[in-house]
Each structure stands twice: as C-alpha cells, then as structure tokens.
Amino acid sequence: MAQSYPIKLVMWDFGQCDSKKCTGRKLERLGYIKSINLTNKFRGIVLTPSAKQSICPLDKEIVQQLGISVVDCSWAKLDTIPFGKMRGGHDRLLPFLIAANPVNYGKPFKLSCVEAVAACLYITGFDQEAHQILGGFKWGPSFYKVNKDLFEKYSQCKSSAEVVQVQNDFIAKCEEEAIQRDKDRLENQKSIENLVNDSDDENNDNNDDFGLIVNPNRHLNFNNDENDEDEDKDDDDEDDDDDEEDEDGEDGDEEEEEEDIDGNKQEEEEEENESNDEEEEEEESSEDEKLNYKKKKEIQKKKQEERVLKKMANLKVK
C-alpha cells in the first residue's frame, strides 16, 4: 500500500505526543512517512508555523519532486520546539482549516500530522493521495467533508496572497454570520417578550377594579340603543322582583324562626312551672309528715305519763 505512494513524506518527531493517538507514528507504521533527525536537512515543503508564506497550488511541482515534511509535536508545547534549527528548502504555512481529529475536533488550525499532510496535498492538487492517507483513520474522511468548500477555493488560487485573501474573506463571513445569529437571537427574545407583555396587557384589560375577570361576551350594542335600554329595564325589573321575593321569603323565614323561638320559650316556662309545683308539693308533704310525727310523739308521752301515774298509785295502795 505505502510502497506505491508517489509523494515523499518525512517528519521531525519530538516524542511529545501519545503514541496511541499520534497520527505521525501511525503513518510511519503504515509505511507512508519516515522520521528524520533535527540535524537532517529536507529540501521539500516544510510545514511550519514559523514560515512567512502560505502553501498554494504553485507549490505542486515542489511537492511532486521533493515531497512534504511535518513536525510531530504537541500543540501545548509548541513554544519548546526549535523551529530555527530545522533546515528546509521551502517553509510554508497552512491556511485556515478546521480539525476533525478526536483530540482537537472543531478547532481551527490545530491539525494533526496526517491532516496537515492531507491539506497540503489537497491544495496542491493531489486529491487522490490525500484521500489515501486519510483512509487509514476512521475519522479521516470527515476532515475532507468539513473543509471541502475551503479546499476547493484554495486549490483555485494562483498565489499565496490569494490563498490568504480567501482565508480572510471566509473568516470575515463567519464573523458576520455569528453577529447576525446573535442579532436574530436577540430579536427573537424581544419578540417573545413583547408577546408576553401584550398578553399580560390583554389580561389586565379584562379585569375590573377589583382584579376580577370581566365577561368578554358582555358588550354594549350601540346600534340598537333603545332596544337595549328596554331589555336592560326589563332585566332590572325582573331582578327587582326577584329581589323582593327573596326579601319576602327571607322575612317569612325570620318570622317562622321567631315563632319557633317563642314556642320554645313557652315550653321552657311550662317545664319550669311544673318543676316548681312539684317542689311545692314535696315541701307540703314534708310539713304534713312533720306534724303527724309531732302528734305521735305527744300521744306517746301522754301514754307514758299515764303509766307512770298508775304505777305510783299502786305503790301507795300497797
């Protein structure tokens, strides 16, 4: 597979990446790329952030004849890399592209080694070779899908300056779209707030002075004022009659309640009188018993006196 690959690929490996996630080392295992020392000079395209010129379609011949080199390092330790010591023939920058690798997915410029090499191949017109090396990664094809429009625009440029202009136009368009999205979001929020406020105002209009909801079906018809006034009078008369009937009914109920109260009072008085009579009878009966008892006592005393007198008379005779 890699033996028939037509483009020469090399890398400076600084050993800063996780070997299981490093795309450069995987390309090396697959036979696509070769590691070189820092002292080795490479005459082809050197993709480095220290370059002053962007890659463009005019670099196609250099890529085809001399190949591409990349720096395999960690983005977090980029400041520690001695780019000045790397001796290359043609230093180049990559334009704005979005990463699709699992580590930096969705982040601009933070491409992996395989993404950097593939981007250089796409821009210089080697689409088939770019698809081939990306095919060794599950997420590889998504890198092309995410940046397809940019690759097509960059590949049509005639100079590095034009590539940079396309990049800047794309970034400006993204910023305008972001600003417009923010405006649309704010307008949507305002419209929602206005709808809520309008509904609150309608609810307030439907409330009377006491905060009660007014019947929306009750409206005055100004076209038939006389009929409406008559109907209102009839309704008022009926309401008055009903009120009078209700008052009469209430008066009758009050009278009945008063009669019931009077009847209850009479019954209570009768019961009290009966109880008083019983008490008087009991008192009279008790007085009669006392008199009878006194009489009996007096009779007994007289009998005792008579017996005593008889006894004394018998003693004198003897």
Side-chain angles (χ1 to χ4, degrees):
M1 178 174 62
Q3 293 178 354
S4 62
Y5 197 72
I7 307 298
K8 182 181 179 180
L9 303 177
V10 300
M11 71 173 179
W12 284 286
D13 187 4
F14 288 90
Q16 296 177 348
C17 300
D18 186 354
S19 59
K20 295 180 180 180
K21 299 179 181 180
C22 181
T23 61
R25 293 186 183 182
K26 185 173 182 179
L27 287 176
E28 187 177 15
R29 290 194 299 270
L30 294 174
Y32 286 109
I33 200 167
K34 181 182 178 181
S35 295
I36 61 174
N37 295 325
L38 188 61
T39 57
N40 294 112
K41 183 179 180 179
F42 183 73
R43 297 171 57 199
I45 298 293
V46 179
L47 298 175
T48 171
S50 62
K52 306 298 182 182
Q53 186 177 346
S54 175
I55 191 76
C56 71
L58 295 179
D59 296 320
K60 182 176 182 178
E61 186 176 351
I62 300 173
V63 171
Q64 188 173 11
Q65 294 179 0
L66 302 175
I68 304 170
S69 68
V70 292
V71 179
D72 189 4
C73 65
S74 172
W75 282 101
K77 301 178 180 180
L78 195 62
D79 296 336
T80 64
I81 304 301
F83 291 104
K85 295 182 179 181
M86 297 176 189
R87 295 181 297 169
H90 306 278
D91 294 348
R92 294 291 186 269
L93 288 166
L94 285 173
F96 180 91
L97 292 167
I98 298 172
N101 64 81
V103 177
N104 293 308
Y105 184 85
K107 297 180 180 180
F109 295 110
K110 290 191 175 183
L111 309 181
S112 62
C113 287
V114 67
E115 288 173 323
V117 173
C120 184
L121 293 171
Y122 280 127
I123 293 172
T124 54
F126 297 96
D127 293 1
Q128 185 176 352
E129 289 77 9
H131 286 302
Q132 185 176 343
I133 61 171
L134 286 174
F137 302 85
K138 294 180 180 180
W139 49 266
S142 63
F143 175 69
Y144 176 76
K145 293 178 182 178
V146 170
N147 299 283
K148 181 179 179 181
D149 293 339
L150 286 174
F151 285 141
E152 291 178 354
K153 292 179 180 180
Y154 292 149
S155 63
Q156 295 174 2
C157 295
K158 298 179 180 180
S159 65
S160 296
E162 193 172 343
V163 171
V164 174
Q165 185 62 45
V166 171
Q167 166 192 268
N168 295 337
D169 292 342
F170 178 80
I171 294 173
K173 182 180 178 181
C174 291
E175 291 176 350
E176 290 178 359
E177 290 177 353
I179 294 172
Q180 186 62 39
R181 284 195 297 270
D182 291 338
K183 289 182 179 179
D184 294 339
R185 180 175 56 81
L186 292 174
E187 290 179 357
N188 290 332
Q189 288 180 352
K190 289 181 180 179
S191 61
I192 292 171
E193 291 176 357
N194 292 331
L195 290 173
V196 172
N197 292 330
D198 292 340
S199 63
D200 291 340
D201 293 338
E202 290 179 359
N203 292 332
N204 292 330
D205 292 339
N206 290 332
N207 292 340
D208 61 8
D209 294 336
F210 298 97
L212 301 176
I213 296 176
V214 179
N215 185 0
N217 297 322
R218 187 173 182 180
H219 297 288
L220 295 176
N221 186 358
F222 295 100
N223 294 327
N224 297 321
D225 292 337
E226 295 180 356
N227 294 331
D228 290 341
E229 290 177 357
D230 295 335
E231 291 178 358
D232 291 337
K233 289 180 180 179
D234 294 336
D235 293 336
D236 293 337
D237 295 336
E238 292 178 357
D239 293 337
D240 294 337
D241 295 336
D242 293 335
D243 293 338
E244 291 177 358
E245 292 177 357
D246 293 336
E247 291 177 356
D248 295 336
E250 291 176 356
D251 295 337
D253 294 336
E254 292 177 355
E255 292 177 356
E256 292 178 356
E257 290 178 356
E258 292 177 355
E259 292 177 357
D260 294 335
I261 292 169
D262 296 335
N264 293 329
K265 288 181 178 180
Q266 291 177 358
E267 291 178 356
E268 291 176 356
E269 291 177 356
E270 291 177 357
E271 291 176 356
E272 290 179 358
N273 294 329
E274 290 177 357
S275 61
N276 293 328
D277 294 337
E278 291 177 356
E279 291 177 355
E280 291 177 356
E281 290 178 356
E282 289 178 356
E283 291 177 355
E284 292 176 356
S285 61
S286 61
E287 291 180 354
D288 293 335
E289 289 177 355
K290 290 179 180 179
L291 294 172
N292 293 326
Y293 179 74
K294 288 180 179 181
K295 289 179 179 179
K296 288 181 180 180
K297 287 290 185 181
E298 291 177 353
I299 293 168
Q300 288 177 356
K301 284 181 179 182
K302 288 180 179 180
K303 287 182 177 180
Q304 286 178 355
E305 291 176 354
E306 289 177 357
R307 290 192 193 101
V308 171
L309 293 172
K310 284 181 179 179
K311 287 180 179 181
M312 290 175 70
N314 292 328
L315 289 173
K316 288 180 180 181
V317 172
K318 289 179 179 181

